[in-house]
Amino acid sequence: MDQQNLRIVPTFSLDDQAWIRRSSIVVPKFWAGHGVAPQAGDALRVGGRQFTVKARVWEHDGSTPILRLFLSSGHAESDTVFGEL
């Protein structure tokens, strides 16, 4: 598939979307110009948080194929979970 005709749309959880808006973070077009589409398990960092591609869904909007990436929840490196071993 010709990468120029493919639109890749990262899909964040509602909490992460709110964090991105509040922090005024611009999500870069990570895969622009790459010859290979992202795969499940790929990781990306946005604003100091790491997200993993959990699932991929192919769609078509009538003119262009769309690869929607469903991402894991991101957590800041300083996030700590207490009480787990």
Side-chain angles (χ1 to χ4, degrees), residues 45-58:
R45 288 184 188 246
V46 176
R49 295 187 182 190
Q50 182 168 309
F51 301 86
T52 303
V53 177
K54 296 304 235 177
R56 304 173 346 143
V57 175
W58 290 95

Side-chain angles (χ1 to χ4, degrees), residues 13-80:
S13 71
L14 293 176
D15 287 340
D16 289 326
Q17 288 176 31
W19 167 75
I20 289 168
R21 275 193 308 275
R22 278 192 315 271
S23 303
S24 300
I25 293 172
V26 176
V27 178
K29 295 183 179 187
F30 287 100
W31 291 276
H34 287 254
V36 178
Q39 300 293 314
D42 284 350
L44 56 131
R45 288 184 188 246
V46 176
R49 295 187 182 190
Q50 182 168 309
F51 301 86
T52 303
V53 177
K54 296 304 235 177
R56 304 173 346 143
V57 175
W58 290 95
E59 300 175 349
H60 203 284
D61 66 3
S63 63
T64 268
I66 299 169
L67 177 57
R68 190 170 304 278
L69 305 176
F70 290 90
L71 303 172
S72 66
S73 292
H75 299 285
E77 290 181 23
S78 62
D79 285 355
T80 304

